[in-house]
Amino acid sequence: MPIALGFVGLLLILQDALNLDVRAVVLVTILLTVIWTVMAVLAYRQYGANLRLVLSRRAWDPVALRMDDDLSRAAVESLLASGDLHDAETALDALVDADSPEVPRLVVSLLSSADPARRRLGAEVACTAHLWDSPGVPEGVEHLLGDGDRAVQLSAAAALAGRDERGQSLWMEAAGGDTASARVALEAAARCPDPFFVPHLVELGAWPSAPAELLDALVVHAEHLLPLARWMLGEPDAPRLTRRRLLSALGEAGIPGGRALLVEHLDDEDPSVAEAAARGLAAAGHRESPDTPRLARAVTSSAGRASRCFQVLSLLDDDEACESLRHALRDEIALSAQRAEVLLSLAHEPKAIAAGVAGLGADAEHDRNNALEMLEVTAGRRAARMLQAMTGAGLDDAARLRLLGEYCPLEARLLRDWLREIVVDRDRYWHEPWLQACALYALPSLLPAEAHSLAAKCVESADAVVAETARWVVGTVAPTV
């Protein structure tokens, strides 16, 4: 302000010395206003740029809270005395982080609380803070193995799983029991991670009806899980559901070794496993280079699978017995497009790929053309055209097959050859039980001479639907001599 007033005085002196009139004042005012406006705009833009930089790249280094002053201790005591369990949990976390000597005493108090939720919290803190050498803590947790509250009992069992055979037996019994017990057991395992749980969690991974809490437990145990996961993912005969769940857990965990394993299985021979690997990488925030050979092979493999499905569809007639097989083949084509979209999203902006694929399915030709052009610019002509063929709005099956044929060689095969391949799947290419079951169901109509012998090879299938359909065919069609 003093500098501004000085300049005003200087201006008045100059005006008087040079005999300037009011026009000079107006001119100076306009000039200063323009300069001020330009500087304001520049400052505003710089502020916005700096704000985005701070919010997007801010690095907060976590430090342990200090509990060595009266105010901090008073705040923690207030939280512990609160009726809200979350407040008490927050206070204990702060004390554990600060390595407070008060933690064992507070945990012993929680273990003997009349509130089941607080007893459960005490068992969990005893495990996560490794208080097994503190007086009264191991005995208090062991006492909870006989607690009347099931959740408290299983929390104590999980806390003791790496140390006590009773806890291990109790947890294993609950995890293998009904859905409600398994859910509580898995929640407890997720709160008290221990290498003991790893093989049991992997075994539960093969259960189709396993609770959603299984994934949380697998994610928490990702570091312990990695060696076993590497072995199981390398076993093609391992349950596909287990392999998919392992990949999903490794993606959610985002550990370095897990990411490398996910990349390794981007072109897995089981398409659903490859898709799980891609989704896991997307969840971990992993980005692939558009030129990565593994990624290009995986996208082309998805297109090749769709091409084979179209080739089978072109050979099927309107027989009612083929209806389920036609639906299954079209489901496979849709899944192939979905897998290609997920894979491309690893190398390009996911929103752009998703918008492009959605646009390819639009009713209006103008929207489809715009989406195709955008995908060509984003992912390249080859990937865009393969997605167009797999998505297929505005194209009939013959046109879609011709388009895929530009990138995936067509095979001159008869329908019976395709059916044998899908049903027997000797090379483990299709790896899809529902498609196999639908092909089995169509055998009596499409390939009666070989229906019995082909179905007989599938009666012992691990998939219940495939085995049941195979038994139906064997019982319906007489063997040929």
Side-chain angles (χ1 to χ4, degrees):
M1 184 63 72
I3 294 175
L5 290 174
F7 276 113
V8 170
L10 180 61
L11 180 61
L12 291 174
I13 293 172
L14 288 174
Q15 183 178 0
D16 182 64
L18 300 175
N19 294 319
L20 300 176
D21 57 15
V22 70
R23 289 175 295 182
V25 176
V26 172
L27 180 61
V28 172
T29 303
I30 292 174
L31 181 61
L32 290 174
T33 302
V34 170
I35 294 173
W36 179 87
T37 302
V38 171
M39 293 180 67
V41 171
L42 292 175
Y44 174 76
R45 289 179 177 174
Q46 192 62 34
Y47 169 79
N50 277 330
L51 181 62
R52 286 192 296 273
L53 183 65
V54 168
L55 293 179
S56 62
R57 298 187 181 179
R58 193 170 195 166
W60 289 342
D61 296 325
V63 296
L65 297 174
R66 295 180 60 186
M67 296 294 160
D68 55 359
D69 60 278
D70 294 337
L71 187 60
S72 298
R73 284 194 290 269
V76 169
E77 291 294 338
S78 175
L79 289 172
L80 287 172
S82 169
D84 190 332
L85 184 65
H86 294 294
D87 288 348
E89 189 172 359
T90 301
L92 279 169
D93 286 342
L95 289 170
V96 171
D97 287 342
D99 200 20
S100 172
E102 294 294 310
V103 173
R105 178 183 64 81
L106 293 171
V107 167
V108 170
S109 176
L110 287 172
L111 293 173
S112 58
S113 172
D115 183 0
R118 289 180 177 265
R119 296 199 298 273
R120 182 179 183 181
L121 176 60
E124 292 168 358
V125 175
C127 174
T128 56
H130 306 290
L131 301 179
W132 303 117
D133 294 330
S134 302
V137 173
E139 296 82 356
V141 177
E142 290 173 7
H143 178 73
L144 295 182
L145 291 176
D147 197 277
D149 187 282
R150 186 64 165 165
V152 175
Q153 190 182 53
L154 289 176
S155 292
L160 293 168
R163 305 168 47 84
D164 185 277
E165 290 185 1
R166 289 182 302 160
Q168 294 174 0
S169 300
L170 188 61
W171 185 89
M172 290 169 58
E173 180 183 353
D178 58 79
T179 302
S181 295
R183 180 175 290 113
V184 178
L186 290 169
E187 286 179 352
R191 292 175 179 269
C192 300
D194 189 273
F196 162 78
F197 295 116
V198 169
H200 304 289
L201 294 175
V202 172
E203 183 180 353
L204 289 173
W207 292 13
S209 58
E213 287 78 6
L214 174 61
L215 181 59
D216 295 333
L218 287 170
V219 170
V220 171
H221 288 81
E223 291 285 357
H224 302 307
L225 185 68
L226 196 55
L228 183 56
R230 183 175 288 109
W231 176 78
M232 289 207 69
L233 290 170
E235 288 291 321
D237 293 327
R240 70 185 327 199
L241 187 55
T242 301
R243 300 175 78 214
R244 284 159 49 186
R245 281 173 168 160
L246 288 174
L247 290 168
S248 297
L250 292 175
E252 290 287 339
I255 58 177
R259 290 190 182 188
L261 201 54
L262 289 168
V263 172
E264 184 180 330
H265 287 275
L266 275 177
D267 55 353
D268 193 275
E269 66 176 18
D270 186 335
S272 66
V273 172
E275 182 183 355
R279 291 189 180 279
L281 285 168
H286 178 85
R287 305 297 291 174
E288 279 287 318
S289 168
D291 301 325
T292 303
R294 190 186 299 273
L295 188 63
R297 286 198 304 270
V299 174
T300 303
S301 176
S302 294
R305 190 178 182 88
S307 174
R308 287 188 165 201
C309 290
F310 277 123
Q311 291 176 67
V312 180
L313 281 170
S314 68
L315 299 174
L316 293 176
D317 55 28
D318 294 332
D319 191 333
E320 186 177 348
C322 302
E323 187 66 22
S324 60
L325 179 56
R326 283 194 292 270
H327 283 301
L329 289 166
R330 294 200 179 277
D331 288 344
E332 282 298 309
I333 294 168
L335 285 172
S336 296
Q338 176 181 301
R339 288 162 186 154
E341 177 186 349
V342 173
L343 290 165
L344 290 171
S345 296
L346 292 175
H348 306 282
E349 175 56 43
K351 290 183 179 179
I353 298 297
V357 172
L360 289 176
D363 294 329
E365 183 179 0
H366 175 74
D367 293 337
R368 294 197 297 270
N369 291 338
N370 286 342
L372 179 61
E373 183 178 356
M374 187 269 286
L375 283 171
E376 287 180 350
V377 172
T378 303
R381 177 179 174 80
R382 178 188 178 89
R385 300 289 280 179
M386 287 192 292
L387 280 174
Q388 181 190 22
M390 287 186 279
T391 305
L395 300 174
D396 59 21
D397 285 358
R400 296 169 73 179
L401 182 56
R402 283 196 301 272
L403 190 55
L404 285 171
E406 297 178 13
Y407 308 103
C408 309
L410 304 181
E411 303 174 45
R413 302 172 66 180
L414 300 175
L415 178 59
R416 61 173 177 267
D417 298 325
W418 286 114
L419 288 173
R420 291 191 198 105
E421 179 184 296
I422 294 173
V423 169
V424 179
D425 201 13
R426 184 175 293 106
D427 297 329
R428 302 178 66 87
Y429 174 82
W430 294 99
H431 221 297
E432 180 48 59
W434 175 242
L435 179 64
Q436 186 181 13
C438 292
L440 280 165
Y441 183 76
L443 280 181
S445 297
L446 299 180
L447 201 58
E450 299 181 44
H452 188 280
S453 60
L454 289 175
K457 299 177 181 179
C458 304
V459 294
E460 300 297 331
S461 172
D463 186 87
V465 175
V466 172
E468 183 63 28
T469 307
R471 285 192 289 270
W472 173 79
V473 174
V474 169
T476 302
V477 182
T480 56
V481 180

